[in-house]
Amino acid sequence: MSSREAILTRIREANRAVEEERAELAALRGDNGAPAVAAWEYGQPTEMPDVLGRFVERVEDYKAAVVRIPGDAVAGAIGAALRDHHATSVVAPSGIPGEWLADVGDLSVHRDNPLLSHAELDTTSAVITDAAVGIAETGTIVLDHAPGQGRRALSLVPDLHICLVRADQVVSDVPEAVARLGDAVRAGRPLTWISGPSATSDIELSRVEGVHGPRTLHVILMDC
């Protein structure tokens, strides 16, 4: 018997054993052995005991800061984040309400209108955006670049990204997030998926942050 024939014989014997085991199990169950099919629809929530708690845990695993606040404390939380990270200037997309910037002190505030150049963005300390979706299972935040998030360069060039996520925007897993993002995709808007601050590592696994995006991610989770 050749090596090829020996391998094929062993495969046939293994398949035969599997079929015999299935038949035995089917006889014990009293059915035809057909696998049970769970009712499932793409995009439906995955059950978990604490979606928001899981989201916070996963985001912090990526070395990002997370604070949870009531909805009426946004301005104070933004101001505190900017001060904690020693920011001297900040850019905010047009969709960020002016009242959210009430506690930034004497920082230079830019609105990207007219569009800031890449050089101007590079000298801006921080960016403030809201979000489209937060994913509990992976700790990922998705931007769909609606007015509160602005163009992609805003969230990629400044060194500090302060991102505001509403509690009702946090979903269980990626399929549920994709279902929510359908309108943005159909409208042709880009999506930016953020899992912690920008980071990479070399062949010796030395972690380097801020290589192709913000060095620091500060998430404000609004319980509202």
Side-chain angles (χ1 to χ4, degrees):
M1 180 183 295
S2 67
S3 297
R4 178 178 181 276
E5 291 171 339
I7 292 171
L8 291 175
T9 298
R10 294 181 64 181
I11 292 173
R12 293 187 191 99
E13 291 174 351
N15 287 336
R16 188 181 305 114
V18 170
E19 292 301 325
E20 290 173 354
E21 183 177 354
R22 286 178 178 171
E24 291 175 2
L25 290 174
L28 291 173
R29 291 195 302 260
D31 59 25
N32 62 3
V37 178
W40 187 78
E41 180 182 352
Y42 189 89
Q44 69 180 3
T46 296
E47 291 187 10
M48 58 181 62
D50 182 4
V51 173
L52 294 180
R54 177 79 63 86
F55 176 70
V56 171
E57 177 185 352
R58 292 289 198 265
V59 173
E60 290 178 337
D61 282 345
Y62 287 118
K63 297 186 177 181
V66 185
V67 295
R68 293 182 65 171
I69 63 166
D72 59 357
V74 175
I78 290 174
L82 291 168
R83 289 188 290 272
D84 289 346
H85 294 287
H86 309 290
T88 58
S89 58
V90 62
V91 58
S94 61
I96 295 297
E99 56 266 26
W100 285 8
L101 306 174
D103 195 29
V104 300
D106 57 358
L107 269 68
S108 298
V109 178
H110 307 289
R111 277 295 194 173
D112 199 36
N113 185 20
L115 298 182
L116 299 172
S117 68
H118 287 177
E120 289 171 318
L121 283 177
D122 191 43
T123 58
T124 302
S125 301
V127 59
I128 300 169
T129 74
D130 60 20
V133 178
I135 306 173
E137 189 59 41
T138 62
T140 301
I141 297 167
V142 186
L143 309 184
D144 64 4
H145 300 283
Q149 297 143 51
R151 57 193 174 109
R152 295 192 73 193
L154 298 188
S155 60
L156 295 176
V157 179
D159 207 42
L160 167 65
H161 182 186
I162 299 175
C163 188
L164 294 107
V165 183
R166 298 193 317 270
D168 62 4
Q169 291 178 311
V170 179
V171 300
S172 60
D173 57 14
V174 172
E176 188 180 0
V178 170
R180 287 206 183 188
L181 294 166
D183 289 343
V185 172
R186 284 185 287 272
R189 298 203 303 270
L191 301 179
T192 301
W193 298 64
I194 301 168
S195 296
S198 165
T200 189
S201 58
D202 59 19
I203 196 170
E204 296 179 351
L205 301 183
S206 299
R207 182 181 173 94
V208 179
E209 297 177 350
V211 175
H212 45 69
R215 190 184 310 272
T216 304
L217 175 64
H218 187 104
V219 179
I220 299 174
L221 179 57
M222 298 179 287
D223 291 320
C224 59

